[in-house]
Amino acid sequence: NVVRDVASFEKRLEELLREYHGPVLAEAYIEGREFTIAMFDGRPLLVEEIEFSVEPRIVGFRAKWDSGSAEYEGTNPTFTPVITERQREEMTTLAVRVWEALGFRDYARVDFRMDGDGRVYVLEANPNPDISVGSGYRLALDAAHISYRDFVARLVENAFGRRPTPK
């Protein structure tokens, strides 16, 4: 749904309103690099950059779920982004602040864009990201040397820790 001019915006907005019969969220597209931070037990794991070889540079439905599509093949994660330590610290600090502000628990993912001037923007926060094989979150666990088994065991421990004690 990336549009580049007012006429295209108005046309797409009308289509979406007809299709969904309700409110539509529209926001400015931030041209730049995309990053994500997987959060586990309130701690940021690693800064991951999504490298694009397709346009538009967004991780939409086809990029996430349509294996074999140009969008899927042209959206690649790297856990060794070329960023400054200040940029890394800014994103990890923001991820923790988002976690706390939204009251997340157990695991989540916070997504960012960095514009051409190095300004970092929070795009979204996902309290229940995909953890299936091949998902970005699973790749982050692997890169952080956290086994899926240990991850799930911790989720179960956390859940039991929140369970009310019977009277």
Side-chain angles (χ1 to χ4, degrees), residues 44-96:
L45 297 183
L46 303 165
V47 176
E48 171 187 357
E49 182 170 7
I50 309 300
E51 295 179 333
F52 297 94
S53 60
V54 293
E55 292 291 335
R57 298 167 48 88
I58 59 172
V59 184
F61 180 85
R62 290 175 58 99
K64 291 179 185 179
W65 307 109
D66 189 2
S67 62
S69 69
E71 293 88 343
Y72 187 93
E73 298 299 326
T75 307
N76 300 296
T78 180
F79 291 96
T80 55
V82 178
I83 54 176
T84 66
E85 191 54 37
R86 182 195 62 75
Q87 291 166 329
R88 184 180 310 280
E89 288 175 15
E90 180 179 7
M91 283 187 268
T92 55
T93 298
L94 281 170
V96 170

Side-chain angles (χ1 to χ4, degrees), residues 82-144:
V82 178
I83 54 176
T84 66
E85 191 54 37
R86 182 195 62 75
Q87 291 166 329
R88 184 180 310 280
E89 288 175 15
E90 180 179 7
M91 283 187 268
T92 55
T93 298
L94 281 170
V96 170
R97 289 179 63 198
V98 167
W99 173 281
E100 292 169 351
L102 297 177
F104 287 165
R105 59 185 191 198
D106 300 328
Y107 74 106
R109 190 191 70 237
V110 182
D111 299 341
F112 303 90
R113 277 285 173 137
M114 181 187 300
D115 70 14
D117 294 323
R119 286 183 298 249
V120 174
Y121 299 85
V122 174
L123 285 183
E124 67 175 326
N126 187 334
N128 187 26
D130 179 15
I131 58 173
S132 65
V133 174
S135 68
Y137 197 94
R138 282 287 283 276
L139 294 173
L141 287 173
D142 292 344

Side-chain angles (χ1 to χ4, degrees), residues 10-36:
E10 290 172 348
K11 179 180 182 220
R12 186 65 185 133
L13 179 61
E14 287 175 18
E15 292 168 354
L16 291 169
L17 288 170
R18 263 194 314 277
E19 183 176 350
Y20 293 106
H21 310 289
V24 173
L25 173 66
E27 57 191 358
Y29 175 72
I30 301 164
E31 189 68 51
R33 298 166 67 189
E34 186 158 333
F35 299 88
T36 185

